Amino acid sequence: MPSIASQSSFKTLQRFSPDYAPCTITKYESERTGMSVVVVDREGPKVNGFFTLATEIHDDSGAPHTLEHLCFMGSKTYRYKGVLDKLATRAYSTTNAWTATDHTAYTLDTAGWEGFAQILPIYLEHVIVPTLTDAGCYTEVHHVDGEGHDAGVVYSEMQGVQNTQGELMDLRAKRLLYPENVGFRYETGGMMEQLRVLTADRIRKFHRDMYQPKNLCLVIVGQVDHADLLHVLHNFEDSILDDIPPPNGPFKRPWVDSDPTPFLERSVVETVNFPEEDETSGEIAIMFFGPSCNDLLGASALNILLVYLAGSSASVLENTLVEKEQVASAVYYSIEIRPKILVQFSLSSVAADRLEDVERRFFELLRETAANPLDMTYLKDCITRERRMIKNSVETSSTPFSEPIIYDFLFAERDGSRLKADLSNMKEFDILASWPEEKWQSLINSWMADAHHVTILGKPSAILSKKLKSEEKARVEEQKKKLGPEGLKRLEKKLADAKAENDREIPKGLLEHFPVPSTKSIHFIETTTARSGAAKQLGRLDNLIQRLVDSDNAELPLFIHFEHVQSNFAHVSLIISTESVPIPLRPLLTIYLENMFTTPIERNGQRIEFEQVIKELEKDTVDYGISLGSAIGNPEVLVMRLSVEVEKYASAIQWIKELIWNGVFDLERLSSTTVRLLADIPEAKRSGSSMLDAVEEMVHSAPASIVRARSTLVNALYLKGVRHRLKNDPDAIINQLTEIRNKLFQFSNFRVAVVANIEKVAKPASSWESFTAGLNTSKPLQPLEKRLSRISEAGRNPGKLAYMVPLPTIDSSFALSVAKGPSSLQDPRIPALMVALSYLDAVEGPMWVAVRGTGLAYGTSFTRHTDSGQISYSVYRSPNAFKAFQIGRSVVEGFVSGQTEFDALALEGAISSIVLSFANSQATIAAAAQMSFVRQVIRELPEDWNERMLEKVRAVETEEIRTVMKDIVLPVLTAATANLVVTCAPVMEEELVKGFQDMGFTPEVRSLASFQDDYGMGVPEGAGIEDEDDEMEEEDEEEDDLDDDESDDGKMGTSCT
């Protein structure tokens, strides 16, 4: 494409097509500014952008993180907060950003190239030439409000994580791994202490140093018009040359030109306490340095070793520590791509009094593994599977290659030579497959078993929890005292003035200047449907793929739905009706499903142990699992799925048959699974958001619901009963599991979905004959369960119920209200409701401005639940969920009464957001095929439903929107017609109860444990039931309880070897 690049300031550095992926990768570089651009051309309706800057800082000020927020506050030409998101919404786009330790990335997610090209230069101006006003820094980063409390979007975000287990352990690990002259040592999100003193000038300096075009790489994935892209970027550069440092001036490239990370000189094991009321279990994090990130062969070998050691229940670490010895609920590994790759193993839910023992056992296992013969057959299977998984991810990911491109920009040569060498092919796996056993054993020793390392033992401390709260309370009181009444008034005025400056109204003409783009550049992926057996009852089809399936001469009655796509893989799903499973046994599905792929099987009269089953499964597949059908729009059914290379289609069918009917209910495996699931429950109960959803599920779903039966608040009791019976009467549980299998796996409960290139599939229909052999095929197909039929009386007729659930593990509040809504997508009110919710929930829309913009919550959202005939409103992470709820209601009331007018431009943006949501649901070939199946089989909608719905959405009138807001949206914010659940910090309880009472609700304060249900399991006394949250202990404010001499007071103990 030299002719295209030559018409602009950009030259082509690389262009190549990976030999394993249907895409082309092109790298450009600007000869004027040094800006890098990498385009991954691939088919689909979406264009995704990742605008990445290498960012390095040697302090905990949080300056990198602050810019992630401040760049959205306005730019040189568009000097208004929110203008970028309002324009993006009109262009079928959404924006976002993240801050990592080594880079900051700004994302643009768009349907079609035309909208992407329209918003691109405006977005880039916000990144490179933002306003960075004092007022913006004051409100977004940190300020003290008129009541003396510290606030600010960035400050509040870090306040919510700084003293969590993960953050405390991670920060201490950074300090031990990296010296002071290496940027990886620091918290780029910002520590609260430093955010309180961070200045706008410091942020501006960091921006000027780092936010230069020569330090920016645009990664763009989708169907891109290259000539138009380079033309847009050329004009953008023209507009900023006078605002940036001289492009050819001196510049120290972050990370590459910085001091290198030294190797560790010794191993360190250190204990870090984290605040937690439940002191029973902790965490272990173990970190090593690996090879250079620019060493493709070394990095690939490391990844294979990690899969071999901890990739599944058959791998040595997971199998020994979790499955057999049961000293942890899981062993995870992760890799941080850095000049020296950082490897971390995480061991979760380890008994707090055994942390040191388990850490020592971890290294014993590593040394034993390296000293003894390796399972070279399995290791080579890991190599082969990794190659398959990369191929599959290219098809199933909407943004393939974005991550390796970002890290190539950060750490490799800027000419793209390393990028081309690394991504053109996968020859490194051929080399790895030839390595002898001694080579792999040597790497286990040098990288892990004998390597210097840092271990953090995370230990829970109830005393630390009280101490931190006490210290923060004292600090704020001292701050108030120091400021005094006059000082607080001055700060209140300063904040009001800053908000007024930030919230200046955007001129309507500015928005009108940017039209809504055409949808012609949105290229939706087309699939072809074929049907076999009972699926033909949905209608006869006449196309090439249907004729191919018909030619298979299968006379099977089995319901099989085919979606033909261009793919190298076959994705096979068995959809299973659950109606025949007795209700008292439905909670046992948690263990049944968890054990499905990790249990022994009987094959030809021989028992195959579960480790071998897993190894064989991994050899044949790229993915497998069984779960509720949430992904296909029906969580009350089960979906068993296997993804294989297309030539292994018959093997996938054989696996499904073998796992369903030949699985062995092994007492040891069942006990291990039960213990592991129970170990994870305390951590699940620490989340205010998760427990909000769990309580809502218990209130609004009937016991028949599979979702309810498998919830945390059922598992908390039911699994303890299972554990007791497995010890005392194991046959009772095994008989129940056998009954579940016999009830569940009946021919009349089965529907099959196949997504593949059907032209490459041998015997697409008749291959299922072996699966159905011996089954009673005479019974009619069971109708799919409807979520609507499994909701409770409270769910069918909401109103008046309100529950307040205090949780000592959270510092904020969450709320969720539920009311009646449409129960069919054919409901004539659906188009207007879609527009209404899109309008209300828009970024920088009415709810955003009223709630998030005023600091009342991190976010709010309305959700339409057509499957259950409900609508919900949620408040996420709020300092006062009542105020966020109250403001949300007043916003809707304003539109209903006519006091607030609808903005015509914002309505256009709401419709554009709906277009984007349609594109999001069909972003890849696999997603497009799945949506076709869901539309036809799950939702029973006509072929042209999407097109017809978009036409209706565009035709919605303002009065229709006002009507649905009155009839559907306002009721979810009204006590008489909505049920309410709130989770909160105990100190918030009284104020929240009073607030919601004033709105007409009658909140009942209840413990989390009071919502638990054992489904008649009848757990005997003494079986280990802890009702630790039945009563919330009041915090003891006496100084004696916070004595610094206590062993658990937050001090850290270190040992070095």
Side-chain angles (χ1 to χ4, degrees):
M1 228 172 275
S3 60
I4 294 176
S6 64
Q7 296 169 14
S8 72
S9 54
F10 287 80
K11 62 181 178 182
T12 306
L13 296 181
Q14 302 289 345
R15 185 187 307 105
F16 60 95
S17 297
D19 62 11
Y20 54 91
C23 67
T24 299
I25 300 175
T26 307
K27 179 163 187 175
Y28 300 105
E29 184 179 75
S30 171
E31 296 182 290
R32 283 196 293 180
T33 68
M35 184 193 302
S36 298
V37 183
V38 182
V39 179
V40 181
D41 282 295
R42 60 168 286 158
E43 294 183 358
K46 298 291 296 300
V47 181
N48 293 92
F50 303 86
F51 311 146
T52 307
L53 298 118
T55 47
E56 180 179 3
I57 197 166
H58 290 189
D59 59 44
D60 298 315
S61 67
H65 184 198
T66 67
L67 285 171
E68 172 206 322
H69 292 258
L70 292 170
C71 283
F72 291 93
M73 298 291 285
S75 68
K76 177 184 72 170
T77 307
Y78 308 92
R79 306 182 68 85
Y80 300 92
K81 175 188 175 184
V83 67
L84 173 62
D85 284 306
K86 286 183 179 291
L87 292 174
T89 300
R90 293 173 62 77
Y92 314 121
S93 303
T94 59
T95 67
N96 211 330
W98 75 74
T99 303
T101 303
D102 47 29
H103 70 276
T104 304
Y106 296 84
T107 64
L108 180 59
D109 187 356
T110 309
W113 169 252
E114 189 175 336
F116 190 96
Q118 179 172 297
I119 201 66
L120 177 61
I122 303 169
Y123 199 165
L124 293 180
E125 186 182 280
H126 277 73
V127 173
I128 299 298
V129 200
T131 53
L132 299 184
T133 65
D134 287 345
C137 293
Y138 192 68
T139 59
E140 295 299 301
V141 179
H142 172 265
H143 59 266
V144 178
D145 64 21
E147 297 179 352
H149 296 287
D150 296 88
V153 177
V154 175
Y155 185 86
S156 297
E157 183 178 339
M158 298 312 296
Q159 186 178 40
V161 300
Q162 182 165 312
N163 290 315
T164 60
Q165 165 238 311
E167 185 69 15
L168 288 170
M169 292 175 67
D170 181 62
L171 182 65
R172 190 59 196 152
K174 289 176 180 178
R175 303 297 203 237
L176 295 170
L177 288 163
Y178 300 101
E180 292 183 359
N181 62 332
V182 176
F184 292 112
R185 176 185 177 88
Y186 300 97
E187 174 50 75
T188 52
M191 301 292 287
M192 287 188 288
E193 300 80 7
Q194 295 205 31
L195 286 169
R196 289 197 287 266
V197 297
L198 180 62
T199 65
D201 284 340
R202 175 69 181 95
I203 296 169
R204 293 184 190 111
K205 183 183 185 304
F206 183 80
H207 181 273
R208 185 170 180 82
D209 291 344
M210 294 289 165
Y211 279 53
Q212 300 185 36
K214 69 178 73 173
N215 193 36
L216 172 66
C217 180
L218 311 183
V219 183
I220 304 174
V221 183
Q223 289 186 254
V224 175
D225 183 330
H226 286 245
D228 191 26
L229 169 65
L230 298 181
H231 174 72
V232 167
L233 294 178
H234 183 85
N235 291 341
F236 168 70
E237 286 188 328
D238 285 342
S239 73
I240 63 165
L241 286 174
D242 293 337
D243 302 296
I244 60 174
N248 55 0
F251 181 72
K252 181 182 178 182
R253 184 178 169 190
W255 309 113
V256 174
D257 296 336
S258 302
D259 292 340
T261 299
F263 287 101
L264 293 170
E265 296 179 353
R266 66 185 189 279
S267 293
V268 179
V269 180
E270 187 161 302
T271 298
V272 171
N273 291 320
F274 61 89
E276 171 60 75
E277 303 290 329
D278 183 346
E279 295 184 324
T280 57
S281 65
E283 308 285 321
I284 301 175
I286 304 168
M287 283 144 281
F288 311 88
F289 285 129
S292 164
C293 65
N294 291 320
D295 175 5
L296 175 64
L297 190 62
S300 300
L302 175 63
N303 193 53
I304 295 300
L305 270 182
L306 293 172
V307 172
Y308 177 86
L309 291 170
S312 72
S313 295
S315 57
V316 60
L317 295 175
E318 180 88 5
N319 185 256
T320 304
L321 298 175
V322 177
E323 302 295 345
K324 292 180 178 176
E325 298 179 4
Q326 298 177 18
V327 294
S329 67
V331 177
Y332 304 102
Y333 69 84
S334 62
I335 293 177
E336 291 282 351
I337 304 300
R338 294 174 179 174
K340 279 189 180 69
I341 292 175
L342 181 67
V343 180
Q344 176 170 323
F345 286 96
S346 300
L347 284 68
S348 61
S349 300
V350 178
D353 59 357
R354 295 200 60 196
L355 292 169
E356 294 86 352
D357 295 339
V358 174
E359 195 263 354
R360 284 192 292 270
R361 179 62 178 136
F362 175 89
F363 281 97
E364 286 178 6
L365 275 174
L366 283 180
R367 296 186 185 102
E368 290 170 10
T369 301
N372 293 315
L374 302 179
D375 185 341
M376 290 303 294
T377 300
Y378 179 51
L379 194 147
K380 290 187 177 182
D381 285 344
C382 290
I383 296 172
T384 304
R385 190 168 195 257
E386 186 68 14
R387 189 199 301 258
R388 287 199 307 267
M389 292 179 71
I390 291 173
K391 285 184 178 180
N392 183 57
S393 69
V394 171
E395 290 187 8
T396 56
S397 169
S398 60
T399 55
F401 301 116
S402 58
E403 187 172 314
I405 291 171
I406 287 173
Y407 286 112
D408 178 84
F409 169 73
L410 295 179
F411 305 127
E413 298 86 353
R414 286 284 173 87
D415 62 2
S417 57
R418 172 63 60 185
L419 184 71
K420 182 176 181 180
D422 287 356
L423 298 185
S424 290
N425 55 61
M426 293 191 285
K427 291 181 179 178
E428 66 272 14
F429 292 115
D430 296 329
I431 298 173
L432 295 179
S434 69
W435 280 6
E437 180 181 39
E438 295 78 14
K439 177 78 170 177
W440 293 103
Q441 290 171 318
S442 172
L443 290 179
I444 294 174
N445 281 322
S446 62
W447 281 341
M448 299 174 214
D450 296 334
H452 291 313
H453 60 275
V454 168
T455 294
I456 302 296
L457 307 177
K459 192 171 183 180
S461 169
I463 290 177
L464 179 60
S465 177
K466 294 177 181 179
K467 181 178 181 180
L468 289 172
K469 291 175 183 178
S470 175
E471 288 177 346
E472 176 64 7
K473 183 177 180 180
R475 186 193 67 80
V476 173
E477 288 302 319
E478 177 62 25
Q479 180 168 268
K480 291 179 182 179
K481 182 179 177 181
K482 185 176 180 180
L483 288 167
E486 291 302 316
L488 291 174
K489 284 182 181 179
R490 285 195 299 272
L491 290 178
E492 185 176 22
K493 184 178 185 304
K494 184 178 180 180
L495 179 58
D497 291 345
K499 286 182 176 179
E501 181 180 338
N502 291 337
D503 296 336
R504 289 175 302 137
E505 185 176 357
I506 302 170
K508 189 164 288 190
L510 180 61
L511 301 176
E512 290 174 338
H513 182 66
F514 292 87
V516 175
S518 162
T519 57
K520 291 180 180 178
S521 68
I522 305 175
H523 303 291
F524 287 97
I525 298 170
E526 294 186 358
T527 68
T528 304
T529 301
R531 294 165 181 156
S532 178
K536 289 185 176 180
Q537 296 173 10
L538 297 178
R540 295 271 175 175
L541 300 172
D542 184 14
N543 58 59
L544 176 63
I545 303 305
Q546 183 64 60
R547 289 191 288 274
L548 191 155
V549 170
D550 290 342
S551 69
D552 192 20
N553 293 321
E555 297 299 328
L556 287 174
L558 182 65
F559 183 110
I560 310 178
H561 178 105
F562 297 96
E563 287 292 334
H564 171 70
V565 296
Q566 295 303 314
S567 172
N568 294 311
F569 298 91
H571 306 281
V572 182
S573 298
L574 180 66
I575 295 88
I576 308 160
S577 168
T578 58
E579 188 62 31
S580 55
V581 178
I583 292 175
L585 297 185
R586 291 182 186 181
L588 199 53
L589 283 169
T590 297
I591 292 176
Y592 192 103
L593 302 186
E594 192 73 19
N595 247 40
M596 176 64 78
F597 296 94
T598 59
T599 196
I601 61 172
E602 293 284 347
R603 182 186 295 158
N604 300 323
Q606 292 187 327
R607 176 180 165 121
I608 311 298
E609 295 301 330
F610 85 95
E611 293 94 342
Q612 185 61 30
V613 172
I614 293 172
K615 290 177 181 179
E616 291 182 18
L617 263 172
E618 292 181 347
K619 183 176 182 179
D620 283 347
T621 67
V622 291
D623 188 29
Y624 58 86
I626 186 167
S627 62
L628 305 189
S630 302
I632 60 170
N634 189 338
E636 295 298 333
V637 302
L638 303 180
V639 179
M640 185 177 183
R641 63 192 186 283
L642 281 83
S643 296
V644 297
E645 291 170 303
V646 70
E647 58 268 22
K648 291 190 175 182
Y649 177 68
S651 295
I653 299 171
Q654 178 59 30
W655 270 117
I656 292 173
K657 178 177 182 178
E658 202 165 40
L659 290 163
I660 284 176
W661 286 295
N662 295 3
V664 175
F665 297 125
D666 178 79
L667 179 58
E668 182 181 335
R669 298 297 308 127
L670 294 172
S671 298
S672 173
T673 298
T674 304
V675 169
R676 177 164 48 82
L677 291 171
L678 278 168
D680 286 335
I681 287 174
E683 183 175 353
K685 286 185 174 182
R686 294 169 191 162
S687 168
S689 177
S690 296
M691 289 304 96
L692 182 81
D693 292 337
V695 172
E696 185 276 330
E697 191 62 53
M698 298 302 289
V699 172
H700 293 128
S701 293
S705 169
I706 299 297
V707 181
R708 184 186 191 275
R710 297 186 70 244
S711 75
T712 300
L713 296 180
V714 171
N715 289 341
L717 287 185
Y718 191 89
L719 293 182
K720 289 171 182 173
V722 171
R723 181 180 61 186
H724 177 78
R725 292 195 183 184
L726 285 173
K727 289 180 180 178
N728 298 283
D729 187 11
D731 288 345
I733 296 296
I734 291 173
N735 289 339
Q736 289 178 331
L737 290 168
T738 303
E739 183 179 359
I740 287 176
R741 173 160 61 192
N742 293 336
K743 297 286 188 180
L744 198 59
F745 298 118
Q746 300 179 25
F747 181 84
S748 57
N749 289 337
F750 293 155
R751 288 168 177 80
V752 173
V754 177
V755 177
N757 184 336
I758 305 302
E759 293 176 321
K760 294 182 179 180
V761 175
K763 301 179 179 179
S766 62
S767 292
W768 288 89
E769 288 176 348
S770 61
F771 176 80
T772 60
L775 295 181
N776 179 0
T777 61
S778 62
K779 291 184 178 180
L781 189 65
Q782 286 287 326
L784 289 173
E785 292 76 17
K786 300 294 184 184
R787 179 88 174 118
L788 189 61
S789 68
R790 291 185 175 178
I791 61 175
S792 66
E793 177 60 28
R796 284 193 296 270
N797 295 293
K800 295 291 186 182
L801 288 182
Y803 299 108
M804 194 74 54
V805 186
L807 298 177
T809 54
I810 64 176
D811 295 316
S812 56
S813 60
F814 303 80
L816 181 65
S817 60
V818 176
K820 284 186 177 181
S823 59
S824 168
L825 288 171
Q826 304 283 30
D827 190 307
R829 301 172 295 173
I830 287 289
L833 182 59
M834 290 173 70
V835 176
L837 299 189
S838 181
Y839 183 89
L840 289 169
D841 280 343
V843 176
E844 295 295 342
M847 300 300 292
W848 175 288
V849 171
V851 181
R852 176 165 173 150
T854 57
L856 287 176
Y858 190 81
T860 66
S861 63
F862 291 96
T863 306
R864 173 175 47 84
H865 307 277
T866 313
D867 59 341
S868 59
Q870 296 170 327
I871 183 173
S872 66
Y873 173 68
S874 66
V875 176
Y876 180 80
R877 201 194 300 163
S878 169
N880 189 316
F882 159 68
K883 289 184 178 178
F885 195 93
Q886 184 183 46
I887 288 292
R889 177 180 168 86
S890 67
V891 168
V892 176
E893 284 178 328
F895 289 111
V896 170
S897 68
Q899 185 177 352
T900 306
E901 294 293 329
F902 289 100
D903 183 282
L905 297 176
L907 284 172
E908 288 181 347
I911 294 169
S912 295
S913 294
I914 295 170
V915 174
L916 175 60
S917 71
F918 278 55
N920 285 337
S921 67
Q922 306 170 58
T924 66
I925 54 176
Q930 178 172 285
M931 284 307 300
S932 179
F933 171 79
V934 169
R935 175 182 56 76
Q936 297 178 64
V937 179
I938 304 298
R939 296 178 176 165
E940 300 176 343
L941 297 170
E943 184 177 359
D944 61 349
W945 185 85
N946 284 358
E947 293 77 10
R948 284 164 51 186
M949 182 54 65
L950 286 176
E951 288 177 7
K952 291 177 180 179
V953 160
R954 290 190 174 99
V956 167
E957 300 288 341
T958 302
E959 281 308 309
E960 294 179 84
I961 301 172
R962 199 185 312 278
T963 298
V964 295
M965 282 193 179
K966 175 179 178 290
D967 296 341
I968 301 175
V969 181
L970 189 57
V972 81
L973 298 160
T974 304
T977 48
N979 290 337
L980 174 72
V981 177
V982 178
T983 54
C984 65
V987 295
M988 298 179 175
E989 174 193 316
E990 184 177 347
E991 184 178 1
L992 291 175
V993 167
K994 184 179 184 306
F996 282 109
Q997 282 176 340
D998 292 343
M999 287 190 73
F1001 290 96
T1002 54
E1004 178 185 351
V1005 179
R1006 286 179 54 176
S1007 70
L1008 194 60
S1010 69
F1011 291 95
Q1012 295 178 165
D1013 183 357
D1014 69 356
Y1015 273 67
M1017 173 59 75
V1019 187
E1021 187 176 351
I1025 301 171
E1026 297 87 23
D1027 293 329
E1028 66 279 357
D1029 49 4
D1030 271 338
E1031 296 182 8
M1032 300 298 175
E1033 292 186 0
E1034 294 182 1
E1035 292 184 10
D1036 190 342
E1037 299 181 8
E1038 293 186 13
E1039 291 296 325
D1040 288 346
D1041 286 344
L1042 301 176
D1043 189 346
D1044 286 344
D1045 292 332
E1046 291 283 345
S1047 60
D1048 277 0
D1049 66 357
K1051 294 181 181 179
M1052 295 169 288
T1054 304
S1055 66
C1056 300
T1057 56

